[in-house]
Amino acid sequence: MKFRNVYFIICLSALLGACGGSEEAESDAAGEPIKVGVLHSLSGSMAISETTLKDTVEMMVDEQNARGGLLGRRLEAVVVDPASDWPLFAERARELLESEQVDVVFGCWTSVSRKSVLPVFEELNGLLFYPVQYEGEESSRNVIYTGAAPNQQAIPAVDYLANEVGIERWVLEGTDYVYPRTTNRILEAYLKEELGVADEDISINYTPFSHSDWQTRVSEIRDFGSEGKATAVVSTINGDANVPFYLELANQEVSAEDIPVIAFSVGEEELSGLDTEPLVGHLAAWNYFQSIESPTNSEFIANWKQRMGADRTTNDPMEAHFIGFNMWVAAVEQAGTTDVDAVLEALPGTETPNLTGGIARLLPNHHLTKPVFIGEVRADGQFDVVWQTDNLVEGDAWTDFLPGSLDTEANWADPAINCGNYNTRTGVCSATNFE
């Protein structure tokens, strides 16, 4: 009777408080796990890149549990395999949100997979942390974009090649899907409008996922670069097609001194499966490299290798998940709940250390502040940083170099806007862009 009276007094004093009020409180009291969805391909053409991200989220979950969990509850990773099949991403996302009832999802790599799941997350009010560089031209209330926007990777990479290397001719080489096509539209406009590059000095080409026969195309690139002007390849080739592409460059003796390649989707993980000797001197643009020295990075690398093995590397999308996971934890702690609406309200302005010695901040447009690094491939598959931005760069959801985008703003923190496609000229918020 004594305990029953105490419970009554507590509940009475709390009035509408947690004792009898919310399902969240009942779940907390019951000690049910907080479910963290993992939506990454473990098979198919993108497994070469995405499997590591699954492993990263599982590590973050285990480390958070070792710190006592979250809100007094244990975290549980719920892993599904969309198998590099874009429609299957939407099915698996619905499975995570409806059947598994996860509290948050970390996942996707390609933009077509992200576009596939966007309607599902918006319909079911889920929360997705997307960790990979992308083409911009999008901001969803239900997505936190922890990878780079074009102004945090593609544009600085072109500026570096033009200003530091003296490139005059440009090969924009990509896999045939949303991210390369939109990024190359932005880059083509930037090259012409900002750098004054002529049409005849730009070559654009797309190949399918898992493309393997690169002999003809590499020959064309070599010919394009043999007309007396310094030439570079800006590569948005994705997934396992990178392996035969670089092998064919070596076969045809196209070296970094002749025609440097700067890649946006090749990092330490992809290089770990290659003979990197012929790639030495080629470049990549990222916001993180394993070789960057900082106490936070050293600790992260040590924990990763202890868990996964001494031969396993880290890379940029892993850092994006590191940042995103810690931001989500901080927002949940601030909100006192995993409720998506409350967490989304708490997220803008959240800050957490990145792995390169700085602080990442979530902007009202659901993008991050990031440093930009250009790395040169070493023989051991790591990168030497040859250039970096002086300051953190704020991610721009809408580019200044495509018609219509210049007047578009994303802001989910300002109640007067609360939109991802707000036209600053007309004052109208349009629907989400599902290309």
Side-chain angles (χ1 to χ4, degrees):
M1 181 66 69
K2 178 180 179 181
F3 293 111
R4 186 176 301 172
N5 290 339
V6 170
Y7 179 79
F8 174 78
I9 292 170
I10 294 172
C11 288
L12 182 62
S13 66
L15 293 177
L16 298 178
C19 288
S22 72
E23 294 181 2
E24 184 73 30
E26 293 173 6
S27 179
D28 288 353
E32 294 179 4
I34 295 173
K35 292 187 176 183
V36 177
V38 184
L39 185 65
H40 281 302
S41 296
L42 311 181
S43 57
S45 63
M46 292 309 301
I48 186 176
S49 298
E50 292 194 65
T51 299
T52 291
L53 297 188
K54 182 270 294 184
D55 295 335
T56 303
V57 178
E58 289 181 326
M59 183 177 81
M60 300 294 294
V61 165
D62 288 346
E63 290 181 347
Q64 187 65 34
N65 284 333
R67 290 190 288 267
L70 185 58
L71 303 181
R73 296 160 60 190
R74 183 177 64 84
L75 275 62
E76 175 187 333
V78 181
V79 179
V80 295
D81 178 16
S84 307
D85 182 328
W86 320 135
L88 192 57
F89 266 88
E91 294 180 29
R92 291 291 179 261
R94 188 172 293 276
E95 175 187 333
L96 287 172
L97 295 174
E98 285 188 329
S99 301
E100 298 291 348
Q101 296 188 333
V102 300
D103 297 281
V104 64
V105 176
F106 294 84
C108 299
W109 181 292
T110 65
S111 287
V112 67
S113 66
R114 188 192 71 256
K115 295 284 189 183
S116 176
V117 305
L118 267 175
V120 178
F121 277 88
E122 295 195 338
E123 173 195 345
L124 301 177
N125 196 32
L127 175 57
L128 172 67
F129 282 78
Y130 176 65
V132 184
Q133 84 288 348
Y134 86 119
E135 69 282 357
E137 307 306 288
E138 177 185 296
S139 178
S140 169
R141 174 182 178 272
N142 296 86
V143 179
I144 305 300
Y145 304 82
T146 56
N151 73 308
Q152 296 173 307
Q153 185 186 38
I155 297 295
V158 165
D159 283 340
Y160 167 78
L161 289 173
N163 299 328
E164 304 295 329
V165 185
I167 297 302
E168 300 173 287
R169 303 202 92 192
W170 304 84
V171 178
L172 308 183
E173 191 73 25
T175 301
D176 193 4
Y177 77 107
V178 176
Y179 164 63
R181 284 192 174 273
T182 305
T183 299
N184 286 342
R185 282 173 56 211
I186 294 169
L187 289 180
E188 183 181 15
Y190 184 76
L191 288 169
K192 292 178 179 179
E193 296 170 14
E194 299 298 315
L195 302 185
V197 178
D199 286 347
E200 61 266 23
D201 289 328
I202 302 174
S203 172
I204 304 174
N205 185 69
Y206 300 99
T207 50
F209 278 95
S210 297
H211 185 68
S212 59
D213 185 5
W214 286 97
Q215 184 174 357
T216 299
R217 181 54 187 161
V218 168
S219 178
E220 292 170 348
I221 292 171
R222 186 183 59 190
D223 291 344
F224 184 77
S226 64
E227 298 184 13
K229 293 183 178 180
T231 303
V233 176
V234 178
S235 172
T236 49
I237 300 168
N238 221 325
D240 55 9
N242 279 291
V243 176
F245 173 67
Y246 281 102
L247 288 176
E248 187 58 36
L249 288 173
N251 289 339
Q252 298 196 28
E253 299 181 343
V254 179
S255 69
E257 289 76 18
D258 300 326
I259 302 177
V261 177
I262 192 163
F264 301 158
S265 297
V266 174
E268 294 87 344
E269 183 71 11
E270 289 76 17
L271 291 180
S272 66
L274 292 176
D275 174 12
T276 55
E277 192 65 39
L279 279 73
V280 171
H282 286 298
L283 305 165
W286 289 106
N287 310 105
Y288 164 89
F289 288 109
Q290 178 177 306
S291 59
I292 295 174
E293 295 183 1
S294 78
T296 308
N297 194 29
S298 296
E299 180 182 2
F300 182 79
I301 294 168
N303 292 343
W304 175 251
K305 289 182 177 294
Q306 181 178 5
R307 179 185 179 94
M308 303 302 301
D311 61 336
R312 290 293 296 271
T313 61
T314 59
N315 62 26
D316 181 285
M318 289 174 63
E319 189 214 25
H321 265 342
F322 171 85
I323 293 170
F325 186 91
N326 287 329
M327 282 189 168
W328 173 73
V329 167
V332 168
E333 290 176 337
Q334 179 181 333
T337 176
T338 58
D339 175 76
V340 168
D341 291 331
V343 172
L344 282 170
E345 184 176 349
L347 272 167
T350 299
E351 295 185 341
T352 191
N354 60 30
L355 292 179
T356 59
I359 299 294
R361 184 176 83 257
L362 185 67
L363 303 168
N365 62 9
H366 283 188
H367 293 65
L368 299 182
T369 58
K370 287 176 170 286
V372 185
F373 302 96
I374 305 296
E376 188 176 278
V377 178
R378 302 190 321 215
D380 64 355
Q382 293 296 314
F383 291 86
D384 284 326
V385 174
V386 296
W387 180 87
Q388 67 184 79
T389 51
D390 294 330
N391 301 301
L392 298 178
V393 179
E394 294 188 353
D396 190 357
W398 297 92
T399 185
D400 295 340
F401 306 107
L402 292 180
S405 296
L406 180 60
D407 298 322
T408 305
E409 176 185 354
N411 192 320
W412 297 104
D414 184 348
I417 297 177
N418 194 34
C419 173
N421 290 27
Y422 181 78
N423 189 298
T424 57
R425 186 169 43 82
T426 64
V428 174
C429 179
S430 62
T432 301
N433 177 17
F434 296 134
E435 287 185 7

